[in-house]
């Protein structure tokens, strides 16, 4: 069964109203036991729908879903997270372990009360926005582990205090028309986290959050092997975030392959398209296609510094044997950003087989945050934040890179650190087939550097290098 088929199941057979099991729904009473009793009765009957009626405000801690149970928030029903740790059997509101055919549906809302789980405002000297300081204990909204045939459809999740929809080791998952409205200043409130999962489709969602909107990862799970990530498709979504819009990593302890992000709009983000390889898994076969974005600087606590694209590969620490990134395609990706398209491997992990096809980028500066910065986090093998000029496209430590029918333009505001349209450092097999780029604030549009034996990486600049079909004028090629 595919993720799409999971959403098209046969539907519930019986309805179990949580009110019949003692739920009050007045926004004050603890309804945890009543909700769990309804779920257990539904599962014992072979499955069905657990109904949370509209015009009710249910407050609960951990509710554990069972096989073939549909938790349905009807009309304007609200399920609110309790602040009492005693109401939780583990730090998450909706939990399922190894369940088959589970779903969370309806038009109601899950309310996470994010700021009630924060200890204060972590302000700084720079311009707003900054970030909240979280308490030591804060629950996730969803934690679905090792489940099959999972559906999340129609509901809204608001004010998550920590990770939102965390799918761990699940197969055949469909997420559609899922609305997320998180507080943008709350850290780690990822919208959808796809972790060690296979056959997942996320479509027609609207996700506004502070941390990553949609992230694909493979976290370390001591004592349990949930396997690789494969067959993930995210498409036709609207994403707003102060971090990455669509991302792979940073946790990459297992292989991640066959991932597609398509036809998404990103009105505001800190990074649009991101791959951060820091662990031993390999990332292969990733497509970013038909994406439109605006990427800007936010305050330093957020990972990312206004990059249009950031594909990086280096060890998390000195002990890490890092994997590789290969087979990455960006096609018909268009946007405006305050920082580069950055494609950078390392001596430990060179990028391979990367293609930019009909990519259009305008580099401009419009926020008051300091620019000219590259963000290497998380890692201890190099500085986290480094001062760096801003080329349109930066490619380093990579093999077999194609830039086809693509262009870099510069906005009206060009600070002195805006540099070359394209820079290549220690790159083999670079194929420029129809690249156009104007001048930033430097004298060269295209810069190439080679690294000789024993060179630390500075190299000598090669001025005026160009490839067949490459225009070094300011005119952009016509869109296709």
């Amino acid at each position: 069964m595919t993720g799409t088929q999971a959403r098209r199941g046969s539907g519930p057979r019986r309805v179990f109203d949580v009110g019949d099991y003692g739920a009050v729904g007045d926004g004050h009473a603890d309804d945890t036991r009543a909700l769990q009793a309804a779920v257990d009765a539904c599962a014992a009957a072979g499955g069905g729908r657990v109904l949370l009626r509209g015009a009710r405000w249910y407050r609960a801690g951990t509710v554990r879903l069972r096989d073939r149970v549909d938790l349905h928030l009807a009309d304007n029903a609200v399920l609110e997270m309790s602040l009492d740790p005693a109401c939780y059997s583990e730090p998450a509101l909706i939990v399922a372990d190894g369940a088959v055919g589970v779903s969370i549906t309806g038009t109601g809302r899950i309310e996470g009360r994010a700021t009630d789980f924060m200890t204060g405002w972590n302000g700084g000297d720079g311009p707003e926005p900054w970030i909240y300081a979280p308490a030591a204990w804060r629950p996730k909204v969803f934690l679905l582990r090792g489940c099959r045939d999972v559906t999340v459809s129609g509901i809204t999740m608001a004010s998550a205090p920590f990770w939102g929809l965390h799918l761990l080791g699940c197969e055949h998952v469909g997420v559609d028309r899922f609305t997320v409205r998180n507080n943008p200043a709350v850290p780690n409130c990822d919208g959808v986290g796809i972790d060690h999962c296979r056959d997942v489709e996320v479509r027609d969602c609207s996700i506004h959050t502070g941390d990553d909107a949609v992230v694909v990862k493979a976290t370390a799970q001591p004592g349990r092997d949930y396997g690789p990530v494969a067959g993930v498709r995210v498409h036709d979504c609207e994403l707003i975030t102060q971090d990455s819009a669509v991302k792979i990593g940073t946790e990459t302890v297992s292989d991640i392959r066959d991932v597609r992000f398509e036809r998404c709009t990103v009105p505001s983000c800190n990074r649009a398209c991101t791959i951060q390889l820091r662990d031993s898994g390999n990332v292969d076969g990733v497509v970013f296609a038909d994406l439109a974005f605006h990427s800007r600087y936010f305050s330093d606590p957020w990972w990312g510094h206004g990059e249009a694209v950031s594909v990086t590969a280096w060890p998390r620490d000195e002990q890490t044997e890092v994997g590789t990134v290969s087979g990455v395609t960006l096609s018909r990706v268009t946007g405006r950003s305050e920082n580069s398209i950055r494609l950078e491997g390392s001596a430990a992990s060179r990028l391979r087989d990367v293609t930019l096809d009909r990519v259009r980028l305008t580099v401009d500066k419009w926020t008051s945050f300091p620019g000219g910065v590259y963000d290497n986090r998380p890692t201890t093998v190099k500085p986290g934040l480094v001062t760096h000029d801003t080329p349109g496209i930066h490619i380093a430590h990579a093999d077999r890179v194609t830039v086809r029918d693509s262009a870099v333009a510069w906005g009206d505001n060009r600070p002195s650190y805006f540099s070359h349209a394209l820079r290549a450092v220690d790159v083999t097999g670079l194929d420029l087939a129809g690249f156009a780029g104007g001048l930033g604030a430097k004298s060269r549009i295209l810069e190439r550097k080679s690294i000789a034996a024993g060179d630390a990486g500075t190299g000598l600049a090669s001025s005026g290098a160009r490839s067949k079909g490459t225009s070094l004028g300011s005119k952009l090629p016509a869109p296709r």
Side-chain angles (χ1 to χ4, degrees):
M1 177 182 288
T2 67
T4 301
Q5 290 171 324
R7 292 197 307 275
R8 298 174 180 169
S10 57
R13 293 182 294 276
R14 295 178 57 185
V15 174
F16 297 79
D17 190 326
V18 297
D20 295 337
Y21 295 84
V24 178
D26 65 354
H28 301 286
D30 175 14
D31 290 323
T32 307
R33 290 184 179 180
L35 267 62
Q36 191 61 60
V39 168
D40 293 346
C42 179
R49 169 168 287 178
V50 173
L51 175 64
L52 281 68
R53 291 192 178 275
R56 301 286 191 277
W57 194 292
Y58 304 91
R59 178 176 291 181
T62 301
V63 177
R64 194 172 298 272
L65 302 185
R66 316 290 189 192
D67 289 355
R68 294 175 290 280
V69 169
D70 170 31
L71 185 67
H72 187 78
L73 281 69
D75 303 320
N76 60 344
V78 175
L79 175 57
E80 179 184 85
M81 299 179 75
S82 172
L83 299 181
D84 185 359
C87 294
Y88 294 82
S89 58
E90 62 179 290
L93 175 64
I94 298 174
V95 174
D97 283 290
V100 178
V102 295
S103 57
I104 304 95
T105 64
T107 56
R109 183 173 96 250
I110 297 175
E111 173 57 51
R113 304 177 69 179
T115 55
D116 290 327
F117 290 96
M118 303 294 117
T119 59
W121 181 250
N122 182 13
D125 296 330
E128 302 292 349
W130 206 247
I131 196 167
Y132 278 101
W137 186 86
R138 51 179 174 147
K140 300 176 182 178
V141 180
F142 294 89
L143 178 53
L144 309 182
R145 282 183 299 234
C147 298
R148 289 189 293 113
D149 304 335
V150 177
T151 298
V152 179
S153 180
I155 64 168
T156 294
M157 177 183 72
S159 300
F162 196 38
W163 291 3
L165 177 57
H166 184 193
L167 302 161
L168 173 58
C170 295
E171 296 184 339
H172 318 314
V173 179
V175 180
D176 74 307
R177 293 174 292 116
F178 179 47
T179 299
V180 176
R181 292 295 182 267
N182 286 339
N183 188 316
V186 170
N188 313 117
C189 61
D190 298 359
V192 178
I194 302 165
D195 188 357
H196 289 279
C197 294
R198 290 160 294 283
D199 183 23
V200 178
E201 183 180 17
V202 179
R203 71 175 190 182
D204 299 319
C205 298
S206 175
I207 300 175
H208 299 185
T209 190
D211 224 296
D212 303 324
V214 180
V215 57
V216 178
K217 61 177 67 180
T219 58
Q221 299 292 326
R224 182 76 181 265
D225 182 6
Y226 284 102
V229 177
V232 175
R233 189 179 179 211
V234 179
H235 62 96
D236 298 290
C237 296
E238 182 225 22
L239 310 170
I240 295 177
T241 174
Q242 292 186 183
D243 215 292
S244 291
V246 288
K247 173 180 168 181
I248 294 175
T250 69
E251 299 94 331
T252 45
V253 301
S254 297
D255 291 350
I256 298 175
R257 62 179 182 271
D258 185 20
V259 178
R260 301 181 67 91
F261 302 102
E262 300 173 297
R263 298 190 305 278
C264 293
T265 59
V266 185
S268 181
C269 67
N270 201 359
R271 281 175 172 154
C273 306
T274 305
I275 300 175
Q276 290 175 281
L277 179 72
R278 298 294 184 269
D279 300 307
S280 57
N282 299 312
V283 175
D284 179 64
V286 180
V287 174
F288 302 92
D290 299 297
L291 305 179
F293 66 87
H294 279 75
S295 184
R296 47 158 289 188
Y297 282 95
F298 287 93
S299 52
D300 284 351
W302 298 108
W303 288 353
H305 272 62
E307 299 94 337
V309 176
S310 182
V311 178
T312 60
W314 42 73
R316 187 176 296 275
D317 53 40
E318 296 288 353
Q319 289 72 47
T320 304
E321 292 188 12
V322 69
T324 60
V325 175
S326 62
V328 177
T329 299
L330 293 105
S331 181
R332 298 178 301 278
V333 173
T334 303
R336 181 172 176 249
S337 73
E338 293 192 297
N339 210 336
S340 310
I341 292 175
R342 187 185 186 192
L343 311 173
E344 184 165 345
S346 61
S349 180
R350 297 179 67 85
L351 304 185
R352 301 197 311 269
D353 301 310
V354 179
T355 298
L356 276 62
D357 178 31
R358 287 165 286 175
V359 172
R360 304 284 188 272
L361 174 65
T362 299
V363 187
D364 204 352
K365 186 71 172 71
W366 63 92
T367 69
S368 57
F369 289 98
V373 177
Y374 271 1
D375 191 342
N376 298 323
R377 298 173 295 181
T379 184
T380 60
V381 303
K382 58 171 67 183
L385 298 175
V386 295
T387 301
H388 199 287
D389 66 296
T390 302
I393 301 174
H394 172 92
I395 310 169
H397 315 301
D399 305 310
R400 298 186 298 277
V401 179
T402 298
V403 181
R404 178 187 306 121
D405 295 335
S406 297
V408 170
W410 304 90
D412 293 334
N413 186 16
R414 304 185 190 187
S416 60
Y417 53 80
F418 277 13
S419 57
H420 315 284
L422 187 149
R423 172 189 285 124
V425 180
D426 184 27
V427 179
T428 68
L430 176 61
D431 180 10
L432 302 180
F435 172 72
L439 285 170
K442 300 293 183 181
S443 60
R444 286 190 299 272
I445 296 172
L446 177 65
E447 181 187 51
R448 285 179 169 174
K449 296 183 179 182
S450 60
I451 295 185
D455 195 322
T458 55
L460 294 176
S462 172
S463 174
R466 63 175 78 189
S467 296
K468 184 177 179 181
T470 298
S471 168
L472 298 185
S474 59
K475 183 179 180 181
L476 302 183
R480 294 188 173 188

